[in-house]
Amino acid sequence: MPNKYFKAHEAYSLNPHRYDVGTIIGLKNGFEDNLFIKKLFTLPEHEYPAFYQYHLDYFLGKESEGEEEFFTFVWQIVLRRINFIEHKNPFNSSHALDMEILEKLTTFQKYLRSIDQWHTQKTLPEIIADQHEVIRKQQSDIAKLKEDLRIAKKLETKQYIDIPKGHLLTVYDVVNQLIDLEIKGEKLMVTKFPIVWVKMICKYFRVDKEELDMERVRSYFPKDRENPGGRSRLVPMDQKIFEVKPKKR
């Protein structure tokens, strides 16, 4: 068995990575499966993903398209060891240790199953069950999206507010006055995003039944009203026909 899958413990290195596979004299050919399992036994369950990824990264550094090959190799190592233990005589002197090892292996196998993209050694009923679960989830998602769309469409309309030609800037002026209205020292209508006003006008208003240019509308509603910037436009005085102000009581 060639040592190409796992990052090996460098011979006589006194400071190896804790996930390196091997002994102080390195990794002997034909023993990488045993030493991978031996290293696995020293790790807590929460480190299984990091341990697996460490060696996967090492292998992908040599075989960039080899993720499935690596997974299959590790899966077979674990499966063979599980089968070996399960077929041992349950009355032998090492049975208690065998059960401890078996628990470790099946826990790691469960992790492998959670990342299995290739249905490795799954039976046809298992594959069909998985596919049915995916379909069920997709159907649930589709139903939710349809309901969200139905609710959203309640606010949609094919009707528009039409403004006669020559009076669009007057509407801009009225809306700008509405934006500035205050009641008891507070803004009557508040938004952190002035673009909302622009979108509202573009969505629900037309000029002589023609759509509005969003960028042009935006130029009359600057984000910073105190410092509008050079790209902003002002409504000419002759278009400021209405005055919106509090009613006298």
Side-chain angles (χ1 to χ4, degrees):
M1 183 186 299
N3 296 324
K4 69 172 185 176
Y5 293 98
F6 305 132
K7 178 70 169 60
H9 184 304
E10 292 186 11
Y12 305 107
S13 171
L14 299 178
N15 190 31
H17 190 282
R18 66 191 307 265
Y19 293 154
D20 285 352
V21 169
T23 66
I24 189 65
I25 61 172
L27 182 57
K28 185 178 179 182
N29 283 339
F31 284 86
E32 65 176 357
D33 55 343
N34 286 339
L35 292 171
F36 179 83
I37 295 296
K38 182 178 179 181
K39 175 63 68 173
L40 177 68
F41 292 161
T42 68
L43 302 174
E45 181 180 345
H46 71 267
E47 289 192 50
Y48 290 172
F51 176 57
Y52 178 87
Q53 191 65 45
Y54 177 76
H55 290 286
L56 172 61
D57 290 344
Y58 168 74
F59 183 67
L60 292 179
K62 299 182 294 180
E63 302 284 346
S64 60
E65 302 296 324
E67 185 172 1
E68 182 178 2
E69 179 186 347
F70 180 82
F71 178 90
T72 302
F73 182 75
V74 174
W75 175 267
Q76 291 296 335
I77 287 176
V78 174
L79 184 63
R80 283 197 300 268
R81 193 58 56 92
I82 289 174
N83 288 337
F84 173 75
I85 294 175
E86 287 181 337
H87 286 85
K88 288 181 70 174
N89 182 352
F91 298 101
N92 69 73
S93 59
S94 65
H95 182 67
L97 178 59
D98 288 342
M99 291 301 97
E100 183 179 344
I101 293 172
L102 185 61
E103 183 179 0
K104 274 272 190 182
L105 289 170
T106 52
T107 300
F108 186 65
Q109 188 184 52
K110 183 178 179 181
Y111 162 69
L112 292 177
R113 185 68 87 189
S114 74
I115 62 171
D116 182 7
Q117 307 172 42
W118 307 279
H119 303 298
T120 305
Q121 292 194 347
K122 281 191 176 181
T123 64
L124 181 59
E126 285 180 315
I127 295 173
I128 292 173
D130 288 347
Q131 291 174 339
H132 282 171
E133 177 60 23
V134 170
I135 292 170
R136 186 201 64 75
K137 185 177 184 306
Q138 289 174 339
Q139 289 174 335
S140 176
D141 291 343
I142 290 170
K144 184 178 184 304
L145 289 171
K146 283 183 176 179
E147 177 62 15
D148 291 345
L149 182 60
R150 185 188 67 80
I151 294 172
K153 281 186 173 180
K154 284 184 177 181
L155 299 177
E156 293 296 326
T157 178
K158 294 182 179 180
Q159 312 304 320
Y160 302 100
I161 302 169
D162 200 51
I163 303 168
K165 273 188 176 180
H167 298 294
L168 178 59
L169 297 185
T170 298
V171 173
Y172 290 169
D173 179 58
V174 171
V175 174
N176 270 304
Q177 289 186 66
L178 293 176
I179 294 173
D180 289 332
L181 285 179
E182 293 186 358
I183 182 169
K184 295 182 180 180
E186 294 182 327
K187 289 283 187 181
L188 181 60
M189 292 175 283
V190 181
T191 177
K192 293 181 179 179
F193 307 99
I195 191 66
V196 173
W197 294 97
V198 176
K199 290 181 178 180
M200 180 188 72
I201 292 170
C202 291
K203 185 172 184 178
Y204 295 111
F205 288 78
R206 297 289 183 267
V207 174
D208 199 25
K209 300 180 181 179
E210 295 293 328
E211 291 187 6
L212 301 174
D213 180 88
M214 187 171 179
E215 289 305 313
R216 190 170 182 84
V217 176
R218 180 183 289 184
S219 67
Y220 288 92
F221 296 88
K223 184 175 181 181
D224 187 346
R225 296 170 65 79
E226 299 296 327
N227 300 287
R231 299 180 63 182
S232 298
R233 290 185 171 93
L234 298 175
V235 175
M237 292 303 298
D238 63 345
Q239 295 290 325
K240 296 185 176 185
I241 300 172
F242 301 101
E243 184 178 3
V244 181
K245 59 183 180 179
K247 178 181 178 181
K248 290 184 179 180
R249 298 187 179 183

Short mmCIF file of all heavy atoms in Angstrom, two decimals, residues 90-144:
data_model
loop_
_atom_site.label_atom_id
_atom_site.label_comp_id
_atom_site.label_asym_id
_atom_site.label_seq_id
_atom_site.Cartn_x
_atom_site.Cartn_y
_atom_site.Cartn_z
N PRO A 90 -16.71 -13.12 20.22
CA PRO A 90 -17.09 -12.20 21.30
C PRO A 90 -16.65 -12.67 22.68
O PRO A 90 -16.78 -11.92 23.65
CB PRO A 90 -18.62 -12.18 21.19
CG PRO A 90 -18.99 -13.46 20.55
CD PRO A 90 -17.87 -13.78 19.60
N PHE A 91 -16.13 -13.87 22.78
CA PHE A 91 -15.71 -14.39 24.09
C PHE A 91 -14.20 -14.35 24.25
O PHE A 91 -13.66 -14.93 25.20
CB PHE A 91 -16.23 -15.83 24.28
CG PHE A 91 -17.72 -15.92 24.27
CD1 PHE A 91 -18.39 -16.34 23.13
CD2 PHE A 91 -18.47 -15.55 25.38
CE1 PHE A 91 -19.77 -16.41 23.11
CE2 PHE A 91 -19.85 -15.61 25.37
CZ PHE A 91 -20.51 -16.04 24.22
N ASN A 92 -13.50 -13.65 23.34
CA ASN A 92 -12.05 -13.56 23.50
C ASN A 92 -11.71 -12.53 24.57
O ASN A 92 -12.53 -11.70 24.97
CB ASN A 92 -11.38 -13.22 22.16
CG ASN A 92 -11.68 -11.81 21.71
OD1 ASN A 92 -11.17 -10.85 22.26
ND2 ASN A 92 -12.53 -11.67 20.70
N SER A 93 -10.47 -12.57 25.03
CA SER A 93 -10.04 -11.73 26.16
C SER A 93 -10.02 -10.24 25.84
O SER A 93 -10.01 -9.40 26.74
CB SER A 93 -8.65 -12.17 26.63
OG SER A 93 -7.71 -12.05 25.58
N SER A 94 -10.00 -9.88 24.55
CA SER A 94 -9.93 -8.46 24.17
C SER A 94 -11.30 -7.88 23.80
O SER A 94 -11.38 -6.80 23.22
CB SER A 94 -8.97 -8.30 22.98
OG SER A 94 -9.50 -8.95 21.83
N HIS A 95 -12.36 -8.60 24.17
CA HIS A 95 -13.69 -8.18 23.73
C HIS A 95 -14.06 -6.77 24.23
O HIS A 95 -14.61 -5.97 23.48
CB HIS A 95 -14.74 -9.18 24.22
CG HIS A 95 -16.13 -8.82 23.77
ND1 HIS A 95 -16.53 -8.86 22.45
CD2 HIS A 95 -17.21 -8.38 24.49
CE1 HIS A 95 -17.79 -8.48 22.36
NE2 HIS A 95 -18.23 -8.18 23.57
N ALA A 96 -13.74 -6.47 25.47
CA ALA A 96 -14.08 -5.15 26.03
C ALA A 96 -13.38 -4.05 25.24
O ALA A 96 -13.98 -3.02 24.90
CB ALA A 96 -13.71 -5.08 27.51
N LEU A 97 -12.08 -4.26 24.93
CA LEU A 97 -11.34 -3.28 24.14
C LEU A 97 -11.89 -3.20 22.73
O LEU A 97 -12.01 -2.11 22.15
CB LEU A 97 -9.86 -3.66 24.11
CG LEU A 97 -8.95 -2.75 23.27
CD1 LEU A 97 -9.00 -1.31 23.77
CD2 LEU A 97 -7.52 -3.28 23.28
N ASP A 98 -12.27 -4.35 22.18
CA ASP A 98 -12.84 -4.38 20.83
C ASP A 98 -14.11 -3.53 20.76
O ASP A 98 -14.33 -2.80 19.77
CB ASP A 98 -13.17 -5.81 20.41
CG ASP A 98 -11.94 -6.64 20.12
OD1 ASP A 98 -10.86 -6.03 19.91
OD2 ASP A 98 -12.04 -7.88 20.11
N MET A 99 -14.94 -3.61 21.78
CA MET A 99 -16.19 -2.84 21.80
C MET A 99 -15.91 -1.33 21.90
O MET A 99 -16.61 -0.51 21.29
CB MET A 99 -17.07 -3.27 22.98
CG MET A 99 -17.64 -4.67 22.83
SD MET A 99 -18.67 -4.90 21.33
CE MET A 99 -17.48 -5.63 20.18
N GLU A 100 -14.87 -0.98 22.64
CA GLU A 100 -14.48 0.43 22.73
C GLU A 100 -13.98 0.94 21.38
O GLU A 100 -14.33 2.05 20.93
CB GLU A 100 -13.39 0.58 23.79
CG GLU A 100 -12.96 2.01 24.02
CD GLU A 100 -11.88 2.14 25.08
OE1 GLU A 100 -11.68 1.17 25.85
OE2 GLU A 100 -11.23 3.21 25.14
N ILE A 101 -13.16 0.10 20.72
CA ILE A 101 -12.65 0.47 19.39
C ILE A 101 -13.80 0.56 18.39
O ILE A 101 -13.86 1.49 17.57
CB ILE A 101 -11.61 -0.57 18.92
CG1 ILE A 101 -10.36 -0.50 19.80
CG2 ILE A 101 -11.24 -0.34 17.46
CD1 ILE A 101 -9.36 -1.61 19.54
N LEU A 102 -14.72 -0.39 18.46
CA LEU A 102 -15.85 -0.41 17.54
C LEU A 102 -16.70 0.85 17.69
O LEU A 102 -17.17 1.42 16.69
CB LEU A 102 -16.71 -1.66 17.80
CG LEU A 102 -17.87 -1.89 16.83
CD1 LEU A 102 -17.35 -2.06 15.41
CD2 LEU A 102 -18.69 -3.10 17.27
N GLU A 103 -16.89 1.29 18.92
CA GLU A 103 -17.66 2.52 19.14
C GLU A 103 -16.97 3.72 18.50
O GLU A 103 -17.62 4.57 17.88
CB GLU A 103 -17.84 2.75 20.65
CG GLU A 103 -18.69 3.98 20.95
CD GLU A 103 -18.88 4.19 22.45
OE1 GLU A 103 -18.35 3.40 23.25
OE2 GLU A 103 -19.56 5.18 22.81
N LYS A 104 -15.65 3.79 18.65
CA LYS A 104 -14.89 4.88 18.02
C LYS A 104 -15.05 4.84 16.50
O LYS A 104 -15.28 5.86 15.84
CB LYS A 104 -13.41 4.75 18.37
CG LYS A 104 -13.00 5.39 19.67
CD LYS A 104 -12.65 6.86 19.44
CE LYS A 104 -12.00 7.48 20.65
NZ LYS A 104 -11.70 8.91 20.43
N LEU A 105 -14.91 3.65 15.95
CA LEU A 105 -14.98 3.50 14.50
C LEU A 105 -16.36 3.86 13.95
O LEU A 105 -16.48 4.53 12.93
CB LEU A 105 -14.61 2.07 14.11
CG LEU A 105 -13.14 1.67 14.28
CD1 LEU A 105 -12.97 0.17 14.10
CD2 LEU A 105 -12.26 2.43 13.29
N THR A 106 -17.40 3.42 14.61
CA THR A 106 -18.75 3.70 14.13
C THR A 106 -19.09 5.18 14.28
O THR A 106 -19.82 5.73 13.45
CB THR A 106 -19.80 2.85 14.87
OG1 THR A 106 -19.63 3.01 16.29
CG2 THR A 106 -19.66 1.38 14.51
N THR A 107 -18.53 5.82 15.29
CA THR A 107 -18.74 7.26 15.45
C THR A 107 -18.06 8.01 14.31
O THR A 107 -18.63 8.94 13.73
CB THR A 107 -18.18 7.74 16.80
OG1 THR A 107 -18.86 7.07 17.86
CG2 THR A 107 -18.41 9.24 16.97
N PHE A 108 -16.83 7.59 13.99
CA PHE A 108 -16.12 8.23 12.87
C PHE A 108 -16.82 7.93 11.55
O PHE A 108 -16.91 8.79 10.66
CB PHE A 108 -14.68 7.75 12.83
CG PHE A 108 -13.83 8.45 11.80
CD1 PHE A 108 -13.56 9.80 11.91
CD2 PHE A 108 -13.31 7.76 10.71
CE1 PHE A 108 -12.80 10.48 10.96
CE2 PHE A 108 -12.53 8.41 9.76
CZ PHE A 108 -12.27 9.78 9.88
N GLN A 109 -17.33 6.70 11.43
CA GLN A 109 -18.06 6.33 10.21
C GLN A 109 -19.31 7.20 10.06
O GLN A 109 -19.68 7.59 8.94
CB GLN A 109 -18.45 4.85 10.25
CG GLN A 109 -19.05 4.36 8.94
CD GLN A 109 -19.51 2.92 9.04
OE1 GLN A 109 -20.25 2.56 9.95
NE2 GLN A 109 -19.06 2.09 8.09
N LYS A 110 -19.96 7.52 11.15
CA LYS A 110 -21.13 8.39 11.12
C LYS A 110 -20.74 9.78 10.61
O LYS A 110 -21.47 10.40 9.83
CB LYS A 110 -21.74 8.50 12.51
CG LYS A 110 -23.02 9.33 12.57
CD LYS A 110 -23.59 9.35 13.98
CE LYS A 110 -24.86 10.20 14.05
NZ LYS A 110 -25.41 10.25 15.42
N TYR A 111 -19.57 10.27 11.06
CA TYR A 111 -19.09 11.55 10.54
C TYR A 111 -18.85 11.46 9.04
O TYR A 111 -19.24 12.36 8.27
CB TYR A 111 -17.80 11.98 11.25
CG TYR A 111 -17.05 13.04 10.48
CD1 TYR A 111 -17.57 14.34 10.37
CD2 TYR A 111 -15.88 12.74 9.79
CE1 TYR A 111 -16.91 15.31 9.62
CE2 TYR A 111 -15.22 13.70 9.05
CZ TYR A 111 -15.74 14.98 8.96
OH TYR A 111 -15.11 15.93 8.21
N LEU A 112 -18.19 10.38 8.60
CA LEU A 112 -17.93 10.21 7.17
C LEU A 112 -19.24 10.20 6.38
O LEU A 112 -19.33 10.79 5.30
CB LEU A 112 -17.16 8.91 6.92
CG LEU A 112 -15.72 8.86 7.43
CD1 LEU A 112 -15.11 7.49 7.16
CD2 LEU A 112 -14.86 9.94 6.78
N ARG A 113 -20.23 9.53 6.92
CA ARG A 113 -21.52 9.48 6.22
C ARG A 113 -22.11 10.88 6.07
O ARG A 113 -22.77 11.18 5.07
CB ARG A 113 -22.48 8.58 7.00
CG ARG A 113 -23.81 8.35 6.33
CD ARG A 113 -23.67 7.52 5.07
NE ARG A 113 -23.72 6.09 5.31
CZ ARG A 113 -23.46 5.17 4.39
NH1 ARG A 113 -23.10 5.55 3.18
NH2 ARG A 113 -23.51 3.90 4.66
N SER A 114 -21.86 11.74 7.05
CA SER A 114 -22.44 13.09 7.01
C SER A 114 -21.82 13.95 5.91
O SER A 114 -22.41 14.95 5.50
CB SER A 114 -22.26 13.78 8.37
OG SER A 114 -20.91 14.18 8.58
N ILE A 115 -20.61 13.59 5.45
CA ILE A 115 -19.95 14.39 4.41
C ILE A 115 -19.89 13.63 3.08
O ILE A 115 -19.25 14.09 2.14
CB ILE A 115 -18.53 14.81 4.83
CG1 ILE A 115 -17.64 13.60 5.06
CG2 ILE A 115 -18.57 15.68 6.09
CD1 ILE A 115 -16.17 13.94 5.27
N ASP A 116 -20.55 12.49 3.02
CA ASP A 116 -20.50 11.65 1.82
C ASP A 116 -21.33 12.27 0.70
O ASP A 116 -22.56 12.35 0.80
CB ASP A 116 -21.03 10.25 2.17
CG ASP A 116 -20.96 9.30 0.98
OD1 ASP A 116 -20.39 9.69 -0.06
OD2 ASP A 116 -21.47 8.18 1.11
N GLN A 117 -20.66 12.70 -0.36
CA GLN A 117 -21.34 13.29 -1.51
C GLN A 117 -21.61 12.26 -2.62
O GLN A 117 -22.25 12.58 -3.62
CB GLN A 117 -20.48 14.40 -2.12
CG GLN A 117 -20.03 15.46 -1.14
CD GLN A 117 -19.02 16.39 -1.80
OE1 GLN A 117 -19.19 16.81 -2.95
NE2 GLN A 117 -17.97 16.72 -1.07
N TRP A 118 -21.13 11.05 -2.43
CA TRP A 118 -21.11 10.09 -3.54
C TRP A 118 -21.95 8.84 -3.25
O TRP A 118 -21.85 7.86 -3.97
CB TRP A 118 -19.67 9.70 -3.83
CG TRP A 118 -18.80 10.90 -4.06
CD1 TRP A 118 -18.68 11.63 -5.21
CD2 TRP A 118 -17.98 11.56 -3.09
NE1 TRP A 118 -17.84 12.69 -5.03
CE2 TRP A 118 -17.37 12.68 -3.73
CE3 TRP A 118 -17.67 11.33 -1.74
CZ2 TRP A 118 -16.50 13.54 -3.08
CZ3 TRP A 118 -16.81 12.19 -1.08
CH2 TRP A 118 -16.23 13.28 -1.76
N HIS A 119 -22.75 8.86 -2.18
CA HIS A 119 -23.60 7.72 -1.81
C HIS A 119 -22.77 6.44 -1.68
O HIS A 119 -23.14 5.38 -2.18
CB HIS A 119 -24.71 7.51 -2.84
CG HIS A 119 -25.58 8.71 -3.03
ND1 HIS A 119 -26.34 9.25 -2.02
CD2 HIS A 119 -25.81 9.48 -4.13
CE1 HIS A 119 -27.01 10.29 -2.48
NE2 HIS A 119 -26.71 10.47 -3.75
N THR A 120 -21.63 6.57 -1.01
CA THR A 120 -20.70 5.45 -0.90
C THR A 120 -21.34 4.26 -0.20
O THR A 120 -21.75 4.33 0.95
CB THR A 120 -19.44 5.88 -0.10
OG1 THR A 120 -18.89 7.04 -0.73
CG2 THR A 120 -18.42 4.76 -0.08
N GLN A 121 -21.45 3.16 -0.95
CA GLN A 121 -21.97 1.88 -0.44
C GLN A 121 -23.35 2.00 0.18
O GLN A 121 -23.73 1.19 1.03
CB GLN A 121 -20.99 1.26 0.57
CG GLN A 121 -19.70 0.81 -0.08
CD GLN A 121 -18.89 -0.10 0.82
OE1 GLN A 121 -19.15 -0.22 2.00
NE2 GLN A 121 -17.90 -0.75 0.24
N LYS A 122 -24.12 2.99 -0.23
CA LYS A 122 -25.51 3.05 0.23
C LYS A 122 -26.35 2.07 -0.57
O LYS A 122 -26.12 1.87 -1.78
CB LYS A 122 -26.08 4.46 0.07
CG LYS A 122 -25.64 5.42 1.15
CD LYS A 122 -26.44 6.71 1.08
CE LYS A 122 -26.08 7.64 2.23
NZ LYS A 122 -26.87 8.88 2.19
N THR A 123 -27.31 1.47 0.08
CA THR A 123 -28.22 0.58 -0.63
C THR A 123 -29.19 1.42 -1.45
O THR A 123 -29.38 2.62 -1.21
CB THR A 123 -29.02 -0.28 0.36
OG1 THR A 123 -29.85 0.58 1.16
CG2 THR A 123 -28.09 -1.08 1.27
N LEU A 124 -29.83 0.78 -2.43
CA LEU A 124 -30.80 1.50 -3.27
C LEU A 124 -31.92 2.10 -2.43
O LEU A 124 -32.30 3.26 -2.64
CB LEU A 124 -31.36 0.56 -4.34
CG LEU A 124 -32.37 1.19 -5.31
CD1 LEU A 124 -31.75 2.36 -6.05
CD2 LEU A 124 -32.89 0.13 -6.29
N PRO A 125 -32.49 1.36 -1.45
CA PRO A 125 -33.53 1.98 -0.61
C PRO A 125 -33.04 3.21 0.14
O PRO A 125 -33.78 4.18 0.30
CB PRO A 125 -33.90 0.85 0.37
CG PRO A 125 -33.58 -0.41 -0.37
CD PRO A 125 -32.35 -0.08 -1.16
N GLU A 126 -31.76 3.19 0.60
CA GLU A 126 -31.21 4.35 1.29
C GLU A 126 -31.10 5.54 0.35
O GLU A 126 -31.44 6.68 0.71
CB GLU A 126 -29.82 4.02 1.86
CG GLU A 126 -29.85 3.15 3.10
CD GLU A 126 -28.45 2.86 3.60
OE1 GLU A 126 -27.56 2.53 2.79
OE2 GLU A 126 -28.22 2.97 4.82
N ILE A 127 -30.62 5.28 -0.88
CA ILE A 127 -30.50 6.36 -1.86
C ILE A 127 -31.86 6.94 -2.19
O ILE A 127 -32.05 8.16 -2.25
CB ILE A 127 -29.80 5.85 -3.14
CG1 ILE A 127 -28.36 5.45 -2.82
CG2 ILE A 127 -29.83 6.90 -4.24
CD1 ILE A 127 -27.64 4.77 -3.97
N ILE A 128 -32.85 6.06 -2.40
CA ILE A 128 -34.21 6.52 -2.72
C ILE A 128 -34.79 7.32 -1.56
O ILE A 128 -35.42 8.37 -1.76
CB ILE A 128 -35.11 5.32 -3.05
CG1 ILE A 128 -34.66 4.67 -4.37
CG2 ILE A 128 -36.57 5.75 -3.15
CD1 ILE A 128 -35.38 3.39 -4.71
N ALA A 129 -34.54 6.86 -0.33
CA ALA A 129 -35.04 7.59 0.84
C ALA A 129 -34.43 8.97 0.93
O ALA A 129 -35.11 9.96 1.23
CB ALA A 129 -34.75 6.79 2.12
N ASP A 130 -33.11 9.06 0.65
CA ASP A 130 -32.44 10.36 0.66
C ASP A 130 -33.02 11.28 -0.40
O ASP A 130 -33.24 12.47 -0.16
CB ASP A 130 -30.94 10.19 0.43
CG ASP A 130 -30.22 9.59 1.63
OD1 ASP A 130 -30.82 9.55 2.72
OD2 ASP A 130 -29.06 9.17 1.46
N GLN A 131 -33.26 10.73 -1.58
CA GLN A 131 -33.81 11.53 -2.67
C GLN A 131 -35.22 12.01 -2.33
O GLN A 131 -35.59 13.15 -2.63
CB GLN A 131 -33.80 10.73 -3.97
CG GLN A 131 -32.39 10.48 -4.51
CD GLN A 131 -32.38 9.56 -5.71
OE1 GLN A 131 -33.32 8.80 -5.95
NE2 GLN A 131 -31.30 9.63 -6.48
N HIS A 132 -36.00 11.14 -1.71
CA HIS A 132 -37.35 11.54 -1.30
C HIS A 132 -37.30 12.67 -0.28
O HIS A 132 -38.15 13.58 -0.30
CB HIS A 132 -38.10 10.34 -0.72
CG HIS A 132 -38.61 9.40 -1.76
ND1 HIS A 132 -39.14 8.16 -1.47
CD2 HIS A 132 -38.65 9.50 -3.12
CE1 HIS A 132 -39.50 7.55 -2.58
NE2 HIS A 132 -39.21 8.35 -3.60
N GLU A 133 -36.31 12.61 0.62
CA GLU A 133 -36.17 13.66 1.62
C GLU A 133 -35.80 14.98 0.96
O GLU A 133 -36.33 16.05 1.33
CB GLU A 133 -35.11 13.28 2.65
CG GLU A 133 -34.83 14.33 3.72
CD GLU A 133 -36.05 14.68 4.54
OE1 GLU A 133 -36.98 13.87 4.64
OE2 GLU A 133 -36.07 15.80 5.11
N VAL A 134 -34.90 14.93 -0.03
CA VAL A 134 -34.53 16.15 -0.77
C VAL A 134 -35.76 16.72 -1.49
O VAL A 134 -36.02 17.93 -1.45
CB VAL A 134 -33.42 15.85 -1.79
CG1 VAL A 134 -33.20 17.04 -2.72
CG2 VAL A 134 -32.12 15.51 -1.06
N ILE A 135 -36.53 15.83 -2.13
CA ILE A 135 -37.74 16.27 -2.85
C ILE A 135 -38.74 16.88 -1.88
O ILE A 135 -39.36 17.92 -2.16
CB ILE A 135 -38.37 15.08 -3.61
CG1 ILE A 135 -37.44 14.66 -4.76
CG2 ILE A 135 -39.74 15.46 -4.15
CD1 ILE A 135 -37.85 13.36 -5.43
N ARG A 136 -38.91 16.24 -0.72
CA ARG A 136 -39.86 16.76 0.28
C ARG A 136 -39.47 18.15 0.74
O ARG A 136 -40.31 19.05 0.84
CB ARG A 136 -39.91 15.81 1.49
CG ARG A 136 -40.97 16.20 2.52
CD ARG A 136 -40.66 15.60 3.86
NE ARG A 136 -39.43 16.12 4.42
CZ ARG A 136 -39.31 17.32 4.94
NH1 ARG A 136 -40.33 18.16 5.00
NH2 ARG A 136 -38.14 17.71 5.43
N LYS A 137 -38.16 18.35 0.97
CA LYS A 137 -37.67 19.66 1.40
C LYS A 137 -37.87 20.70 0.29
O LYS A 137 -38.28 21.84 0.55
CB LYS A 137 -36.21 19.60 1.80
CG LYS A 137 -35.66 20.89 2.38
CD LYS A 137 -34.24 20.75 2.81
CE LYS A 137 -33.73 22.03 3.49
NZ LYS A 137 -33.91 23.23 2.67
N GLN A 138 -37.58 20.30 -0.95
CA GLN A 138 -37.75 21.22 -2.07
C GLN A 138 -39.21 21.61 -2.24
O GLN A 138 -39.53 22.78 -2.50
CB GLN A 138 -37.21 20.59 -3.36
CG GLN A 138 -35.69 20.48 -3.40
CD GLN A 138 -35.19 19.74 -4.61
OE1 GLN A 138 -35.93 18.96 -5.24
NE2 GLN A 138 -33.93 19.94 -4.97
N GLN A 139 -40.11 20.65 -2.07
CA GLN A 139 -41.53 20.94 -2.18
C GLN A 139 -41.98 21.90 -1.08
O GLN A 139 -42.79 22.80 -1.32
CB GLN A 139 -42.34 19.64 -2.11
CG GLN A 139 -42.21 18.77 -3.35
CD GLN A 139 -42.89 17.42 -3.20
OE1 GLN A 139 -43.07 16.91 -2.09
NE2 GLN A 139 -43.28 16.82 -4.32
N SER A 140 -41.42 21.71 0.12
CA SER A 140 -41.74 22.61 1.22
C SER A 140 -41.24 24.02 0.93
O SER A 140 -41.94 25.01 1.17
CB SER A 140 -41.11 22.08 2.53
OG SER A 140 -41.32 22.98 3.59
N ASP A 141 -40.01 24.11 0.39
CA ASP A 141 -39.45 25.42 0.04
C ASP A 141 -40.27 26.10 -1.05
O ASP A 141 -40.51 27.31 -1.00
CB ASP A 141 -37.99 25.26 -0.42
CG ASP A 141 -37.06 24.85 0.71
OD1 ASP A 141 -37.44 25.01 1.89
OD2 ASP A 141 -35.94 24.38 0.40
N ILE A 142 -40.69 25.32 -2.06
CA ILE A 142 -41.49 25.87 -3.15
C ILE A 142 -42.81 26.41 -2.63
O ILE A 142 -43.27 27.49 -3.02
CB ILE A 142 -41.72 24.80 -4.24
CG1 ILE A 142 -40.41 24.51 -4.97
CG2 ILE A 142 -42.79 25.25 -5.24
CD1 ILE A 142 -40.47 23.31 -5.90
N ALA A 143 -43.45 25.65 -1.73
CA ALA A 143 -44.73 26.08 -1.15
C ALA A 143 -44.56 27.40 -0.40
O ALA A 143 -45.41 28.29 -0.50
CB ALA A 143 -45.27 25.00 -0.23
N LYS A 144 -43.45 27.51 0.35
CA LYS A 144 -43.21 28.75 1.10
C LYS A 144 -42.97 29.92 0.15
O LYS A 144 -43.48 31.02 0.37
CB LYS A 144 -42.01 28.58 2.03
CG LYS A 144 -41.74 29.80 2.91
CD LYS A 144 -40.59 29.57 3.84
CE LYS A 144 -40.39 30.76 4.77
NZ LYS A 144 -40.20 32.03 4.05
#
